[in-house]
Amino acid sequence: MKEGIPVPFLVELGVMTKDGKIHNQKYDKFRQINRFLEFVDDILPEILKPVSSKEEADEFIASIKKKHRDATHNVPAMVVGDKMQIQWASDDGEPQGTAGQPMLKVFERENVTNVCCVVTRYFGGILLGAGGLVRAYTKGAKIAVDAAGKSMKRVWSVLYIPCPYTYYERMKLEVAAFGGIIRDTQFGAEVELEILVAAPEAQAFLDRIIDMTAGTVEGMETDQEYRAFPIQN
């Protein structure tokens, strides 16, 4: 992995509403989606599951194999640990190196850890060949990661910032520039914002707000939280 690139500690799944669409913006209501993502002919990527240990990943894999015991292949891959210490995959009967390893490479490229995925294949008579299998399982894992979205578990500073309406739009831009999240907005005589910024960036953000508004707006840190929030891919 490249130095300096943050590794998401957790891959969460978005909320699936009745229309069947996945919505990642509801970061406080992430949950596992019990459904398939349709893929190429006879290959279906099962949803990703966030895991905190190899044992939890093993349980998930066993549950999928039981659920799809009649499938030709249930190909698992997992990455566990804050430094991706545990990386394991199986080809589950596919030619060596054509299924599990390509899935692991997707997780490595996407910089995700604490995740387990099982791609289920019901052979439909189409011979994909070694290259075709690699592309298929790679795409299966990538579809699942993209659908799930990423989040990073870290310490966030909770900031309270009251600002005049004239600075509201600019404030939103500054929050985005610092990779922060506006968690709550109250509109009254002025706009009151509750903002989450990565703890190491909190003071720099507050200083930036003072400079930007020539001292008109000052914020304060009210709390710190250690939790996962979605990040942009």
Side-chain angles (χ1 to χ4, degrees), residues 73-224:
H73 306 281
N74 286 292
V75 177
M78 72 171 78
V79 179
V80 182
D82 58 356
K83 296 182 179 178
M84 308 175 86
Q85 298 96 317
I86 299 174
Q87 298 188 30
W88 177 87
S90 168
D91 294 312
D92 195 43
E94 296 282 26
Q96 185 175 357
T98 63
Q101 284 300 316
M103 292 168 62
L104 281 181
K105 287 181 180 179
V106 170
F107 299 151
E108 183 179 355
R109 285 197 300 270
E110 295 292 320
N111 276 345
V112 293
T113 189
N114 286 354
V115 60
C116 182
C117 180
V118 180
V119 173
T120 297
R121 183 183 186 194
Y122 289 87
F123 182 62
I126 299 176
L127 298 175
L128 299 178
L133 287 170
V134 169
R135 289 189 294 273
Y137 282 102
T138 296
K139 188 172 182 181
K142 184 65 166 66
I143 287 173
V145 170
D146 288 347
K150 301 176 191 175
S151 64
M152 179 176 285
K153 206 168 193 178
R154 67 192 310 175
V155 178
W156 299 82
S157 289
V158 182
L159 307 179
Y160 168 73
I161 299 181
C163 72
Y165 282 85
T166 52
Y167 286 112
Y168 177 48
E169 293 299 324
R170 183 66 183 275
M171 193 69 67
K172 290 193 292 184
L173 293 175
E174 293 298 330
V175 172
F178 274 79
I181 298 166
I182 298 177
R183 183 159 67 176
D184 187 51
T185 306
Q186 298 293 325
F187 298 100
E190 57 185 358
V191 183
E192 297 181 58
L193 302 172
E194 183 181 67
I195 297 169
L196 286 95
V197 176
E201 301 293 327
Q203 190 56 54
F205 177 81
L206 292 172
D207 291 343
R208 169 60 184 154
I209 297 307
I210 292 173
D211 291 343
M212 181 187 77
T213 63
T216 304
V217 176
E218 292 189 38
M220 61 180 293
E221 182 179 76
T222 61
D223 198 3
Q224 287 193 342

Side-chain angles (χ1 to χ4, degrees), residues 6-19:
V7 179
F9 286 5
L10 181 68
V11 171
E12 296 275 14
L13 299 173
V15 175
M16 186 176 69
T17 58
K18 291 181 180 179
D19 60 6

